[in-house]
């Protein structure tokens, strides 16, 4: 059943909608076990819980115990890192456009720009960095959405790289390694 999480108190409980069956809320008994599964940012999260209490007013919701054990599985083929890499790309629309890679894998990236791309668009990405240069890396837009940060709206596009030259793979791997080392550096300092 698909339900919405309404809120939680960490370590104590989670409030979710009661599943509906034939447009009626299911009748649920206290301490009935339930399994929760959701996907967020390419990670499948699973846990088991128990119903603490069900409320049948409108909208019907239930309170379940906060999970003690959570199972997380990465659904992505490649490791994903959040980055801030300035790029220039050329799309079907012709003009070079400035953009920013927000997250990166060896298979693709999420970019933001002022230009609104469309699913299926093919683009060529270029960037000059201290770690090396990327020249005309081909990618296809897989999905698009609006991205907001500090009340500023950007157009975001999820890309799949068509093929990587040895140089592009080396530069992208260097970016990922650098980012991972920075994260490890801060993690050990805390």
């Amino acid at each position: 059943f698909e339900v919405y999480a309404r809120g939680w108190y960490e370590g104590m409980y989670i409030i979710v909608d009661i599943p509906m069956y034939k447009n009626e809320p299911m009748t649920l008994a206290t301490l009935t076990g339930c399994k929760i599964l959701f996907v967020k940012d390419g990670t499948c999260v699973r846990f088991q819980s128990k119903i603490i209490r069900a409320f049948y007013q409108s909208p019907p919701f239930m309170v379940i115990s906060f999970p003690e054990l959570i199972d997380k599985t990465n659904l992505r083929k490649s490791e994903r890192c959040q980055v801030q890499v300035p790029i220039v790309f050329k799309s079907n629309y012709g003009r070079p456009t400035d953009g920013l890679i927000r997250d990166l894998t060896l298979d693709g990236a999420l970019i933001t720009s002022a230009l609104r791309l469309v699913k299926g668009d093919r683009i060529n990405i270029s960037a000059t960095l201290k770690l090396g240069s990327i020249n005309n890396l081909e990618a296809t837009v897989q999905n698009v959405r609006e991205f907001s940060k500090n009340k500023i709206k950007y157009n975001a596009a999820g890309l799949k790289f068509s093929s990587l030259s040895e140089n592009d793979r080396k530069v992208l791997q260097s970016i990922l390694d650098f980012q991972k080392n920075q994260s490890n550096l801060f993690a050990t300092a805390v």
Side-chain angles (χ1 to χ4, degrees):
F1 298 97
E2 188 173 313
V3 297
Y4 291 100
R6 301 286 178 174
W8 61 88
Y9 183 49
E10 194 161 335
M12 298 295 289
Y13 60 81
I14 302 172
I15 301 169
V16 297
D17 291 346
I18 291 178
M20 304 293 276
Y21 180 72
K22 295 186 179 180
N23 293 326
E24 293 292 324
M26 295 178 69
T27 302
L28 304 169
T30 301
L31 299 180
T32 299
C34 58
K35 292 181 182 180
I36 307 293
L37 175 119
F38 63 92
V39 176
K40 181 172 181 1
D41 295 331
T43 300
C44 178
V45 179
R46 287 182 285 252
F47 62 88
Q48 292 187 355
S49 185
K50 291 185 178 169
I51 298 170
I52 297 172
R53 185 143 184 223
F55 298 89
Y56 292 95
Q57 74 270 6
S58 184
F61 67 94
M62 61 183 170
V63 179
I64 62 174
S65 60
F66 203 84
E68 293 178 19
L69 294 172
I70 298 175
D71 178 36
K72 294 182 179 181
T73 305
N74 185 358
L75 300 176
R76 300 185 191 282
K77 289 192 299 186
S78 301
E79 183 179 355
R80 174 174 281 207
C81 283
Q82 291 187 349
V83 296
Q84 300 287 319
V85 177
I87 59 169
V88 175
F89 66 91
K90 199 170 190 179
S91 68
N92 303 352
Y93 311 110
R95 295 186 349 217
T97 304
D98 291 331
L100 187 67
I101 296 178
R102 298 268 181 187
D103 67 42
L104 176 68
T105 74
L106 289 178
D107 296 316
L110 175 73
I111 66 168
T112 56
S113 72
L115 181 65
R116 184 177 194 104
L117 294 166
V118 176
K119 184 176 179 176
D121 282 351
R122 294 182 182 271
I123 67 171
N124 290 46
I125 301 169
S126 297
T128 303
L129 309 164
K130 289 182 181 178
L131 300 170
S133 294
I134 298 169
N135 296 307
N136 291 318
L137 171 59
E138 293 181 21
T140 303
V141 176
Q142 299 295 302
N143 57 62
V144 293
R145 68 176 191 257
E146 200 171 78
F147 176 83
S148 296
K149 186 165 185 175
N150 299 330
K151 298 183 180 181
I152 298 173
K153 292 183 181 180
Y154 301 93
N155 296 304
L159 307 176
K160 181 177 181 182
F161 299 138
S162 302
S163 63
L164 293 177
S165 69
E166 189 56 41
N167 177 67
D168 291 341
R169 179 175 298 282
K170 182 179 163 189
V171 172
L172 294 177
Q173 188 62 57
S174 296
I175 294 168
L176 292 169
D177 291 343
F178 176 79
Q179 194 65 29
K180 189 186 305 181
N181 289 337
Q182 291 291 70
S183 297
N184 290 340
L185 176 69
F186 291 120
T188 56
V190 175

